[in-house]
Amino acid sequence: MSKQTFLKGTLILILAGFITRVLGFINRIVVARFIGEEGVGLYNMAVPTLVLVITITQLGLPVAISKLVAEAEAQGDHRRIKKILVVSLSVTCTLSLIFTPAMILLAPYLSQHVFTDHRTYWPLLAIAPVVPIVAISSVIRGYFQGKQNMRPAAISQVLEQIVRISLVAVCTSAFLPYGIEYAAAGAMISAVIGELASLLYLVTMFKMKKKIKIRRKFFNSVKNGKETLNQLMNIALPTTGSRFIGNISWFFEPIVVANSLYIAGVATAAATKQYGALTGYAIPLLMLPSFITFSLSTSLVPAISEAMANNQLKTVEHRLQQALRLSLISGGLACVILYVFSDPLMTVMYGTNKSAIFVQVMAPFFIFHYFQGPLQAVLQALDLAKAAMINSLIGSVVKTALIFVLATRPSLGIMGAALAIVIGIMLVTLLHLATVIKVVPFTIHVREYVKSGVTMVLAGFAGFFAYEYIFETTPLIFRLLTSLSITTVIYCLLLLVFKLVEKDEVKRIPFVGSYLSRLIPVK
């Protein structure tokens, strides 16, 4: 099995993440155009329930598997790797058998009494079968990530989106004549089939690449796996606690928003539309660049775990500095583009700019979101998942309380919910950073952050000038693409001029890296 370096593994995941996010966005555009804001609202009201159930079922095991497999691999202990997999599969399969039927049985109650819109019943029902599929997939992905082989996980993500996009238009249009709720359920069905295709690929690759025999003496490994179970749970429970808190918050979010808007005098159907505009249109666009920081987070856990197993503290700090700098660089460009071009981006993608104001208001603060993933991954790798869980709890409580306080104000309404969300993100990120600084010898290079800020401002002004004045009379799509290209090129050139990227990192850029590293001197 081919093991990649931290940077190479991250680049593989970034490439796959970029393709996946683009395909995922195409999927969202198709869904939005077929079922509209109301259908997207129903879809997004059901999704938090699904994610909550998956979080409980996975029990934080993917991160624990990745960490423990990386440590076992560093020690050459293949017997321990088998125990990790056997115990993890046993736990996730057992929990899937419990929670999948529970989700199906509770769907009528949730739609009638918890959500303010009873039409969420069919989307909830349609998505339930994906729970065991995702649970098993996550175990196999954790194994490959622990081996620091990111290709199978990367390819499986792309495959899942390809299958989903191939089917989403068919499924939604087939069910649309029966009603918006059935069309939303059709979109869920396409997601289930996509996840199944991803699982089949992962299982195939696992059989081809593994050096251990899982089925041989499977139950004996389970019986003798108490110590392994304890090790997994010591990492998994705090990790799943963080995710559980976040997903509990996400689960209650549509409920709190809907009821807050009702108090503010907004009718149920209108509240569903507004929530769909925020969570189905604006937030996915803001989340789009996070595939880079997610890739960094995925690679950081095994890389830092391996370094800690070998007592290489300097490597730990280097990886953290590298991850935060790449998060700043990628997140900075995203914030500039989303802030400057929010209106034309929404118009081109969805045919409406109603949600553009949410993107513009939230974009400058989302730089904190792009830092949050790598910081949390570092805490998990350093056995500080419990601290990350407490930070997430504080942020979720503050966010939920602020949603109720701000969204009930008629002058703010749904914008109050948007402001509460970004305040929660900023708080959790700052708490994570404070915790990391306490335990890792870490230096904050203020000059680099100042240079990044200047780069963002200059690139933003250049893009705005190009869009508003140079290409003012050209067709919208050409005007937008040209202005985006100018903004990106200027941003990248300024990164090189200010020496915000290292020479080794520039060389690793596909096709043009070697040329750029010779053209402009970088550190």
Side-chain angles (χ1 to χ4, degrees), residues 21 282-291 338 366 369-370 425:
R21 288 303 176 99
I283 289 182
L285 184 60
L286 291 161
M287 291 286 191
L288 182 60
S290 62
F291 70 87
L338 293 171
F366 250 72
H369 173 75
Y370 307 137
I425 289 170

Side-chain angles (χ1 to χ4, degrees), residues 110-143:
L110 291 172
S111 60
Q112 290 287 343
H113 301 288
V114 177
F115 296 105
T116 58
D117 199 323
H118 68 278
R119 293 174 298 174
T120 53
Y121 171 73
W122 290 107
L124 285 169
L125 205 62
I127 201 65
V130 84
V131 173
I133 297 172
V134 173
I136 297 171
S137 295
S138 66
V139 172
I140 302 175
R141 283 196 181 101
Y143 167 76

Side-chain angles (χ1 to χ4, degrees), residues 270-312:
T272 301
K273 275 190 176 183
Q274 290 181 14
Y275 186 72
L278 175 62
T279 61
Y281 287 40
I283 289 182
L285 184 60
L286 291 161
M287 291 286 191
L288 182 60
S290 62
F291 70 87
I292 297 176
T293 52
F294 175 78
S295 302
L296 286 166
S297 303
T298 303
S299 298
L300 267 175
V301 173
I304 289 183
S305 298
E306 183 182 50
M308 288 298 292
N310 295 323
N311 199 28
Q312 298 171 336

Side-chain angles (χ1 to χ4, degrees), residues 502-522:
E502 294 181 358
K503 191 167 186 176
D504 181 59
E505 293 164 349
V506 175
K507 283 184 176 180
R508 290 177 183 270
I509 299 174
F511 307 117
V512 298
S514 297
Y515 174 73
L516 285 175
S517 65
R518 292 194 302 269
L519 182 64
I520 300 176
V522 291

